[in-house]
Structure formats: structure tokens, C-alpha cells
Amino acid sequence: MELAFIGAALAILVTMGLALLRAFVGPTTYDRILAVNVFGTKTVLMIAVIGFIVGRPEFIDIAIVYALINFIGIVAVLKFFEYGSFAGKSTDRHDGEEH
């Protein structure tokens, strides 16, 4: 059974390497962001698998926290690229006129 986890860890490492390659080579910014998201997801899986290999299932808690941080980070980066700031759409309606 431990051999299956080691095989899974090796497969995850390969996909993490491919995601890093896409992050560096990716033709568009969104390809790079997606690759970083995939890398973060695979990191969550790797933390969980390593926890089971070493007999520490409480690593699942660490993996869940990392997944939440990864999700919030990706949403923030996408919002920044869409709006140019973290504030979102500007609701200011000043057309240069003084009132």
C-alpha cells in the first residue's frame, strides 16, 4: 500500500514539473495563471500523499489550508489582471467636472 502512495507521489511530481514548464513557457498570461493554479493544486495533493507515506494524516489539515490560500491567491491575481487593481470596478462617476 505504501508503494502505491510513492507511485502517486512520483506521478504528482511529474505533473508539477509539467505545470511549472507551462508557467514559464505559456504563451499568454492566463495560461501562466492556470499553470500556477494547477501547481498549487498538485502541491495540496503532494502534501496529503506525503502525510500518508510518513503516517501523519494530520497533514490533510495543512493541505486544506494551503488549498484555501491557493484559491484566494488565484482569485486575487485574476481580479488584478481584469481590473488593474484589487479594488474592483470604479464606481466613481466624475467626468472631470467640479460640482
Side-chain angles (χ1 to χ4, degrees):
M1 178 131 158
E2 187 175 312
L3 190 60
F5 284 120
I6 292 173
L10 290 175
I12 293 169
L13 277 175
V14 169
T15 58
M16 288 173 80
L18 292 173
L20 277 179
L21 181 67
R22 175 54 67 190
F24 288 122
V25 175
T28 67
T29 302
Y30 293 107
D31 287 329
R32 292 182 172 141
I33 292 171
L34 180 63
V36 170
N37 189 19
V38 168
F39 185 82
T41 303
K42 297 304 174 190
T43 302
V44 169
L45 288 173
M46 182 61 81
I47 291 170
V49 168
I50 287 174
F52 280 106
I53 289 173
V54 298
R56 304 271 313 258
E58 58 269 5
F59 276 26
I60 294 286
D61 298 332
I62 297 168
I64 291 171
V65 170
Y66 188 87
L68 290 172
I69 292 170
N70 183 44
F71 174 73
I72 292 169
I74 292 297
V75 168
V77 168
L78 287 172
K79 186 174 184 179
F80 181 78
F81 277 109
E82 183 174 349
Y83 298 120
S85 73
F86 292 118
K89 290 183 180 179
S90 177
T91 57
D92 224 2
R93 294 276 178 176
H94 296 295
D95 297 324
E97 299 175 1
E98 291 187 30
H99 296 281

